[in-house]
Amino acid sequence: MSTTRNLWDKSCREHVESRPLTADAQADLVVIGAGFTGNSAALAASRRGASVVLLEAERVAHGGSGRNVGLVNAGLWLPPEDVISAMGEAAGSRLLSALGEGPRTVFERIETHGIDCEATRKGTLHLAHSAAGYAELKKRCRQGNRIGAPLRLLDAGETAARTGSQAFHGSLLDPRAGTIQPRAYCTGLARAAVEAGARLHISSPATRVERGDGVWIVHANGHRVRAKALLLATNAYHRDLAGIKAPHYVKVAYSQFATAPLSPGMRERVLSGGEGCWDTAMVMSSFRLDREGRMIIGGVGNAAGPGAPIHANWARRKLRSLFPELVDLSIEFSWQGFIAMTSDHIPKLVEFGPSAYAAFGYSGRGIAPGTVIGAAAAEALLEDRPEAVPLPVQSSHSERFRSVRGAWYELGATVNHALPTRLRN
């Protein structure tokens, strides 16, 4: 395998003009973090005629937005009834409805702004790794159908025909969903925001936030940005920022490994329908193809940490167990990112001051929820309408034992990946 490289860096065809902050500025809205949430907020606010300053410590899509799997899923990781149980009937149903339309929102943004991001709306497959996993998918299908989601339960035969793998007991097809090149999509959102009037500043880490004379003052690169409203959209890549309490979440690593392109014959047999996939295992894994026909295998674990050799060996074994005919393909790319996990797996929107929100905690579902919640948060902040966001605005959110739990996730993934890969039984 070559030196660790992110495939999305190589294949991104989108570009946005940006430069560091070099002078004081004023705006209606200042956004910190140029990922899915921040770029979506900047685009929505600019299209409403508001002035926007978007600050990014590194480059656009530096964090999870430029490192994730690229599955544009509907809803949340949790089954619908669990969401309603955690949030209540009214709030849970509202969030499920909004995020059920999340993929449509994403693909509409792509079409409207001509974003070149390998958009493929062929659905996703949630794969049963065991008989118990298939029973769980039956439950999810019933619950989804009950709220109007067009989910279809597939048996082992149809799942094998769609994936090209005999490893699964069945699957749940969501035709609303699809796949994208995530860095390209995020960069395209930023480009669209700049074209709409937003001022984007990369290499401009915010270091301090304060409030004075009825406005927010954000310090970055030795300069000040004054704005009526503030959105913190750093998610799992939050840095020390004086003046506000850091968002609480558990930081979980997720790594991916991409092969050389499949041959034309292989592409006729493996994921020929273009679906993106993930499984029901406790230590989840995912796989999909990109535009060039590379197989991308992903799983929980840090491919740049102490367990890196274990995770890399797991990827090779996983590929062999799922698709024996791909065993001779070399792995040419590997990279990792971080997920902001919450205990209940529900995103959070915390109001930490007047006209100031922090949005975070997508628990591995950042693309559609980030797009939806970012745009809604911009509307809510600019119009003082918190009800515009399909998520309750909280005054605070706390997660206990964050570092310990993050280390526990990594240990569990490393131990699981060190064990022999189990085939279907």
Side-chain angles (χ1 to χ4, degrees):
M1 184 168 60
S2 67
T3 305
T4 298
R5 295 191 295 161
N6 185 336
L7 171 62
W8 305 137
D9 291 346
K10 172 185 178 293
S11 62
C12 181
R13 298 185 181 182
E14 281 285 345
H15 175 72
V16 57
E17 293 293 335
S18 57
R19 64 188 62 185
L21 182 69
T22 58
D24 291 352
Q26 291 187 339
D28 295 317
L29 173 67
V30 58
V31 180
I32 302 174
F36 298 132
T37 304
N39 289 332
S40 182
L43 173 58
S46 297
R47 293 188 70 186
R48 299 176 75 86
S51 57
V52 180
V53 170
L54 176 57
L55 299 175
E56 168 55 49
E58 300 286 344
R59 58 174 179 165
V60 171
H62 167 75
S65 299
R67 303 166 190 261
N68 73 29
V69 182
L71 300 183
V72 187
N73 285 307
L76 294 172
W77 182 79
L78 293 175
E81 289 184 4
D82 289 5
V83 175
I84 291 172
S85 176
M87 300 181 67
E89 182 72 35
S93 297
R94 183 167 181 248
L95 182 61
L96 288 169
S97 177
L99 297 188
E101 292 294 312
R104 179 186 62 78
T105 301
V106 169
F107 288 109
E108 284 182 351
R109 295 282 192 282
I110 292 169
E111 182 176 0
T112 298
H113 301 289
I115 301 175
D116 187 355
C117 63
E118 305 183 24
T120 305
R121 198 174 187 183
K122 297 295 183 65
T124 54
L125 294 169
H126 194 177
L127 302 162
H129 78 293
S130 65
Y134 192 59
E136 170 68 16
L137 294 184
K138 287 182 178 178
K139 181 180 74 174
R140 286 176 178 263
C141 187
R142 288 194 300 269
Q143 292 184 19
N145 291 163
R146 196 173 298 138
I147 63 171
L151 306 179
R152 284 180 52 207
L153 190 69
L154 310 181
D155 62 19
E158 187 170 359
T159 299
R162 286 176 176 267
T163 61
S165 174
Q166 302 290 329
F168 302 103
H169 291 248
S171 60
L172 188 61
L173 170 66
D174 190 340
R176 300 170 296 178
T179 63
I180 57 172
Q181 208 278 29
R183 174 175 289 284
Y185 171 64
C186 190
T187 305
L189 284 179
R191 171 181 58 77
V194 169
E195 291 172 349
R199 287 165 284 170
L200 168 62
H201 298 287
I202 59 168
S203 302
S204 302
T207 56
R208 180 177 180 79
V209 171
E210 58 189 351
R211 188 161 175 84
D213 297 326
V215 299
W216 289 100
I217 305 168
V218 179
H219 297 252
N221 285 3
H223 301 284
R224 298 180 180 184
V225 178
R226 298 174 180 270
K228 300 173 186 176
L230 167 62
L231 177 63
L232 182 64
T234 51
N235 205 34
Y237 286 76
H238 184 76
R239 298 184 175 196
D240 289 339
L241 185 55
I244 63 172
K245 182 180 178 182
H248 269 219
Y249 53 80
V250 177
K251 195 172 183 177
V252 178
Y254 196 93
S255 296
Q256 297 182 77
F257 305 83
T259 70
L262 279 62
S263 69
M266 290 174 178
R267 294 190 70 171
E268 290 180 359
R269 297 185 294 276
V270 176
L271 289 178
S272 58
E275 301 94 343
C277 305
W278 80 103
D279 65 27
T280 58
M282 180 175 294
V283 180
M284 188 197 81
S285 60
S286 60
F287 60 90
R288 55 162 295 194
L289 297 177
D290 75 345
R291 176 159 45 194
E292 295 179 340
R294 298 178 185 274
M295 176 60 70
I296 305 164
I297 298 278
V300 175
N302 189 351
I310 293 174
H311 298 311
N313 288 332
W314 164 83
R316 294 180 182 278
R317 295 197 317 272
K318 187 73 172 179
L319 182 66
R320 182 171 60 247
S321 69
L322 294 177
F323 306 104
E325 67 176 312
L326 307 187
V327 67
D328 293 329
L329 282 179
S330 61
I331 292 179
E332 297 185 342
F333 297 84
S334 72
W335 67 99
Q336 68 290 321
F338 293 100
I339 294 167
M341 190 83 72
T342 60
S343 298
D344 59 6
H345 305 296
I346 295 172
K348 306 302 173 191
L349 191 66
V350 174
E351 185 175 31
F352 58 88
S355 301
Y357 293 160
F360 60 94
Y362 298 113
S363 298
R365 287 285 183 103
I367 298 175
T371 300
V372 170
I373 292 171
E379 179 182 347
L381 288 168
L382 292 170
E383 298 187 359
D384 192 22
R385 289 196 315 112
E387 65 274 14
V389 186
L391 190 67
V393 178
Q394 304 176 202
S395 59
S396 65
H397 175 74
S398 179
E399 294 279 344
R400 301 181 64 192
F401 310 116
R402 289 171 290 160
S403 297
V404 172
R405 288 163 58 198
W408 181 252
Y409 277 115
E410 178 61 27
L411 176 62
T414 303
V415 170
N416 180 274
H417 288 172
L419 298 173
T421 302
R422 297 180 61 183
L423 300 176
R424 179 186 166 199
N425 53 40

